[in-house]
Amino acid sequence: MSSADDNLRALAQAQGVYLDFFDLHGVRHEASPDTLRALLKALGTDADSPAMVSEALAARSAQAGMGEIIAFAGDPIHVPVARTCDWALMDEAGAVVSEGRATGAVDLPRLGVGYYTLHLNGASDSETFVMVRPHRAPELATQSRADRCWGTTGALYGLRSASNGGLGNYADLGAVAATFGRAGAQFLGVNPLHALGWAMDEIISPYSPSHRGMFNIDHIAVESGLGPSPEADLIDYSSFRERHRAALEAQFKTRDTAAFAAWCKTCSDETRQFAEFEAISETHGHDFRTWPAALQTPGAEARKAAGKRAEFHLWLQYLADTQIDAAQAQATQSGMALGLYLDLAVGPRPDGAEVWMNADTIAKGVTIGAPPDHLSPEGQSWALAAHAPGPLARARYAPLRSMLRRLMAKCGVLRIDHALGLLRSFWLPDDGSPGGYITQPLDSLLAVITIEAHRAGCLVVGEDLGLVPDGFRKAMNDAGLYSYAVWQFEANHLGEILPADTLPPYSLACFGTHDTPTLSGFWHGTDVEWWQRVGWLSSGDRAARHSHRAKQRASLRDVCAIPSTARIGEIADTIHRGLAQSPAALVSMQMDDVFGELEAQNLPGTINEHPNWRRRLSVPIEAMEQSSALRHISDVMRATRGASPHKEDTDHPEEEPA
């Protein structure tokens, strides 16, 4: 290897680029020079020539100074300084918290949870961002009277009702939450509710948002209703959106201007910018990168171009915002301790509003993906943008802070999709070079998450599936984030599924997710059939996969004592009972499994090959409360979970001991 290659590798390693990684099968993949150069460029460093690499290494060696300080609330904070200086500590509002003169070190007062700025005035002025975090994010025992609980998760878009016209809406969300709350569930989880973009008609995946801090207007319930959901099993988004948007336009003309005006006084500048983006997109298209140059960043020109139409899009966010709040109120009033359980997608689309509004922190020339893993044997390209660690830190994590704050205000639990991205993320260069991992500032990101969760009183679940580095789960759990345990993936080295009592106590456990087959589909191997159908498996591979699935079924029969003659309903009951009896703090049942659906909501790694994000639930929301399926799952859960009081509240006679 040449000295130039050595320098390139040294620079890449210094900037947090992984020089190699091991895949699911333990095979080592070394990052090629092309990959290293592409990832360095995405991080803001040009490394196209040996001279550029040498200059970048020299510049990095010359850098000095404190970028940020992370401390725990109530702990003493000792900050060494090189020379005598005056100092002042400011809070988020810019008010002075404390000040003084220091020689050798600044001793800050014990601080509460929040963000601060330390100003040092001396020979060279400087300022340091100070994040004071709680020791742990909120936990189940502090947010409810229970040490463990259960809930359900499902596809909001797939809900049938007498008035939603074909796509589940926020009114349906509140109704279903109340129904399950009365049945004893403590949370209702749904797909991400992020904004997809008014002008992006082709996007239906909730995991491909335009902006993760704004809300999906497809789910707004219109005053007049749109009639009953069609009988078809699959959603026709185009037809629905045509009727739904016409109804929204008509309702806007008769809107409650006083309530809207009151809400506008409290909405953020970001929300207004998003409304401007949406208005401009109606004229210039969904991809801001093709807009006139003056409009490719927020500002006066964009505001002028958006004109009065921005008010309509701001009003849509008002409706979504207030309707989600109403759904959370219905959930908690029904008896749910936690209520809504929302989902944070990995990233935004490169053409969308979040990238437009945060151009300074977005990594250039790459998108996020994943190497081959349990969910997709071919690996995945998610076509999502990534925030670059350095620029994000220099922006004091403002995009992340505001996004989390907005989402956590709406729910009792927030799930972070692909939480491994807090430690490292897999970036795929646009130039076609092989992908590679980038180190993320785990401690800083956990500080932001725990601060925002503390303020909102929101539990956090980190979806830690896939290739999990040693120590990651412990770091996440130590910060109060719950792991995400999918029982069908919890197996030994032979591929045999482990007993439910081995599921991690500090986790949200489930049998499957929107990315896996349903319980019935798992048992019958429908996912294997789909993998062959889309061309991922040969006939020999298909047979091997079915053989492996047979081993998984046999192991479940063994650990759950499922008779060989049991039918799928009895099998589902037994598996759900196993989950309920597991040590996991939170247990979730897929709504598709509660009502006996066969096909999965999504097949990871596909777009059009499988009807992703289109499947409707067979049971309408009006029939759920009286359904035998819901009563049955409620009985199963209540027998072990629904009546499990917190250890400090055992004096409540209305609650039965577990």
Side-chain angles (χ1 to χ4, degrees), residues 60-229:
R60 188 165 185 86
S61 299
Q63 290 176 354
M66 295 179 295
E68 61 188 38
I69 296 170
I70 301 171
F72 289 108
D75 285 359
I77 305 174
H78 185 77
V79 185
V81 293
R83 56 182 63 83
T84 299
C85 64
D86 294 318
W87 62 270
L89 183 71
M90 322 288 283
D91 65 15
E92 289 175 76
V96 175
V97 175
S98 185
E99 58 187 339
R101 186 170 181 80
T103 301
V106 174
D107 289 306
L108 297 176
R110 297 175 189 270
L111 299 169
V113 172
Y115 307 103
Y116 303 85
T117 303
L118 175 62
H119 295 270
L120 301 178
N121 301 310
S124 59
D125 294 348
S126 66
E127 62 178 42
T128 301
F129 185 47
V130 182
M131 293 185 280
V132 181
R133 52 161 288 190
H135 285 268
R136 298 178 68 82
E139 299 176 275
L140 179 61
T142 62
Q143 299 306 114
S144 72
R145 291 188 298 152
D147 287 309
R148 53 187 189 152
C149 71
W150 70 278
T152 189
T153 53
L156 175 57
Y157 55 83
L159 295 178
R160 294 178 185 268
S161 81
S163 62
N164 69 27
L167 198 78
N169 59 39
Y170 298 129
D172 298 336
L173 177 61
V176 172
T179 296
F180 273 84
R182 288 188 289 270
Q186 297 302 304
F187 60 85
L188 169 63
V190 290
N191 47 276
L193 303 182
H194 309 317
L196 300 184
W198 180 273
M200 189 48 162
D201 294 333
E202 297 178 1
I203 290 294
I204 62 173
S205 169
Y207 291 92
S208 296
S210 174
H211 197 300
R212 293 173 294 166
M214 307 300 157
F215 296 115
N216 189 338
I217 60 96
D218 286 340
H219 299 305
I220 293 173
V222 296
E223 288 177 347
S224 57
L226 294 172
S229 303

Side-chain angles (χ1 to χ4, degrees), residues 297 355-364 387-388 390-392 394-395:
T297 53
V355 174
W356 180 72
M357 293 162 60
N358 297 284
D360 290 344
T361 64
I362 297 293
K364 307 300 189 294
H387 289 276
L392 187 62
R394 288 191 288 275

Side-chain angles (χ1 to χ4, degrees), residues 302-428:
R303 193 170 305 114
K304 180 179 177 182
K308 293 184 177 180
R309 184 60 174 173
E311 184 179 0
F312 171 69
H313 292 287
L314 192 62
W315 176 77
L316 293 178
Q317 287 303 300
Y318 154 72
L319 287 183
D321 186 270
T322 54
Q323 289 185 9
I324 296 170
D325 284 344
Q328 173 68 344
Q330 280 185 268
T332 55
Q333 289 164 11
S334 75
M336 284 187 168
L338 302 173
L340 300 182
Y341 159 35
L342 300 185
D343 207 348
L344 173 64
V346 176
R349 296 196 315 272
D351 58 10
E354 187 175 335
V355 174
W356 180 72
M357 293 162 60
N358 297 284
D360 290 344
T361 64
I362 297 293
K364 307 300 189 294
V366 294
T367 55
I368 309 172
D373 61 15
H374 295 291
L375 296 175
S376 178
E378 296 298 306
Q380 298 179 67
S381 173
W382 297 328
L384 299 173
H387 289 276
L392 187 62
R394 288 191 288 275
R396 300 186 174 179
Y397 308 97
L400 176 63
R401 290 160 56 186
S402 63
M403 179 172 57
L404 289 174
R405 192 170 302 174
R406 187 161 168 79
L407 293 176
M408 288 178 173
K410 304 295 178 192
C411 61
V413 188
L414 182 69
R415 172 185 178 271
I416 298 177
D417 191 34
H418 192 62
L420 296 177
L422 301 174
L423 176 67
R424 64 180 189 181
S425 53
F426 194 77
W427 288 2
L428 295 161

Side-chain angles (χ1 to χ4, degrees), residues 164-287:
N164 69 27
L167 198 78
N169 59 39
Y170 298 129
D172 298 336
L173 177 61
V176 172
T179 296
F180 273 84
R182 288 188 289 270
Q186 297 302 304
F187 60 85
L188 169 63
V190 290
N191 47 276
L193 303 182
H194 309 317
L196 300 184
W198 180 273
M200 189 48 162
D201 294 333
E202 297 178 1
I203 290 294
I204 62 173
S205 169
Y207 291 92
S208 296
S210 174
H211 197 300
R212 293 173 294 166
M214 307 300 157
F215 296 115
N216 189 338
I217 60 96
D218 286 340
H219 299 305
I220 293 173
V222 296
E223 288 177 347
S224 57
L226 294 172
S229 303
E231 290 296 321
D233 292 333
L234 299 181
I235 298 166
D236 181 347
Y237 279 87
S238 178
S239 174
F240 170 80
R241 284 172 173 165
E242 184 177 355
R243 291 181 295 114
H244 182 245
R245 293 183 177 189
L248 289 173
E249 297 276 10
Q251 188 175 325
F252 178 65
K253 295 175 182 177
T254 60
R255 66 192 179 280
D256 183 339
T257 54
F260 177 46
W263 179 85
C264 286
K265 291 179 181 178
T266 66
C267 81
S268 65
D269 290 341
E270 286 178 311
T271 307
R272 295 180 185 279
Q273 284 186 351
F274 174 76
E276 291 164 9
F277 177 95
E278 293 285 83
I280 297 170
S281 73
E282 290 194 62
T283 300
H284 295 288
H286 70 274
D287 189 344

Side-chain angles (χ1 to χ4, degrees), residues 543-564:
R545 291 276 180 174
H546 276 302
S547 176
H548 177 69
R549 184 59 49 82
K551 180 186 293 185
Q552 292 177 303
R553 287 196 299 268
S555 60
L556 274 173
R557 288 188 187 278
D558 183 43
V559 300
C560 296
I562 300 174
S564 60

